[in-house]
Amino acid sequence: MKKVSKWVALLGVLGVGTQAVADGWHGYGSLGAGITLDHLSDFRAKGPALHGYLGVESPPGLSVGLLAEVSETWGTKLRDASRQGQLERTQLDYKAVGVEVRLRFFRDRMFTPWVGARLSKSWGSTLTPDEMGRFLREDVDTTSMAFRVGVDGWLSERWGVSAATAFQFCDVKLTKDSVDECAKLLQSVIVGPVVRF
């Protein structure tokens, strides 16, 4: 309990005492590109990602917004048992639309770090081997979660550059056969312009 209280106190200290652009309500919009990385599963997939965010921020630094993200990744080549031992490259692709909550610190400074969490509806397709080694394409329609950490560097009062990384549960339904892979986290790294209005 004491550890929780310390973290709450630290967040409170970081979020108060700011002036300037921190006063009042603000809108935020960002559009970024980057990469999605699959560190923890055997597929080792990676590929490009696009991310867009539009939200509104209250004076204490808490914001809520809508997001859209698209990623297409390719992983390790594995032997396909149904095609006479031919090698096939694994794929983990998804599109996500949802809601993201962010808490921003030091909002009157040139660099403003933030933490966030999102809940999104995801659609995608996977090309991975089943337990018999046969590659199967599966269409996915599920809910995903992600935790984000980022920093915005402001070039002017309204325009800046945003860099963020997210850790999310892969967008594949958790079934008895796939839980070993699908419980692993995917990491995305996104960089792009941000506007404050």
Side-chain angles (χ1 to χ4, degrees):
M1 188 66 179
K2 289 183 178 180
K3 290 183 178 180
V4 174
S5 300
K6 289 179 181 178
W7 283 108
V8 171
L10 177 60
L11 291 176
V13 169
L14 291 173
V16 300
T18 56
Q19 301 293 327
V21 296
D23 293 334
W25 291 75
H26 292 280
Y28 281 88
S30 63
L31 181 64
I35 189 170
T36 298
L37 302 168
D38 171 26
H39 299 293
L40 300 178
S41 81
D42 294 334
F43 299 143
R44 300 294 180 183
K46 58 181 177 290
L50 295 173
H51 181 92
Y53 174 82
L54 182 63
V56 60
E57 183 177 89
S58 66
L62 186 65
S63 65
V64 178
L66 301 176
L67 70 97
E69 185 166 294
V70 178
S71 181
E72 189 166 335
T73 69
W74 296 270
T76 305
K77 281 188 175 181
L78 299 173
R79 204 167 293 281
D80 188 344
S82 65
R83 301 176 63 186
Q84 298 181 348
Q86 183 174 341
L87 294 178
E88 189 75 65
R89 190 176 296 278
T90 57
Q91 296 179 23
L92 302 173
D93 307 334
Y94 69 89
K95 302 177 183 68
V97 177
V99 177
E100 184 166 294
V101 177
R102 295 181 180 180
L103 180 61
R104 188 181 305 273
F105 311 110
F106 304 126
R107 290 165 296 132
D108 60 345
R109 309 291 173 82
M110 182 177 179
F111 296 98
T112 58
W114 52 267
V115 294
R118 82 179 189 216
L119 183 66
S120 57
K121 183 71 174 177
S122 300
W123 302 268
S125 65
T126 64
L127 182 62
T128 55
D130 63 11
E131 56 190 20
M132 302 297 292
R134 297 169 301 189
F135 267 73
L136 299 175
R137 185 168 294 280
E138 181 184 7
D139 292 328
V140 178
D141 183 353
T142 188
T143 301
S144 63
M145 293 174 35
F147 303 97
R148 293 169 56 79
V149 178
V151 61
D152 296 340
W154 297 101
L155 306 175
S156 68
E157 185 176 335
R158 297 194 179 279
W159 291 95
V161 176
S162 181
T165 186
F167 298 90
Q168 72 175 40
F169 294 97
C170 68
D171 298 271
V172 180
K173 291 182 179 178
L174 296 180
T175 65
K176 183 178 179 181
D177 295 332
S178 63
V179 66
D180 289 340
E181 295 299 340
C182 299
K184 304 298 193 297
L185 293 175
L186 293 174
Q187 181 186 11
S188 61
V189 179
I190 302 292
V191 178
V194 59
V195 61
R196 173 171 54 198
F197 50 92

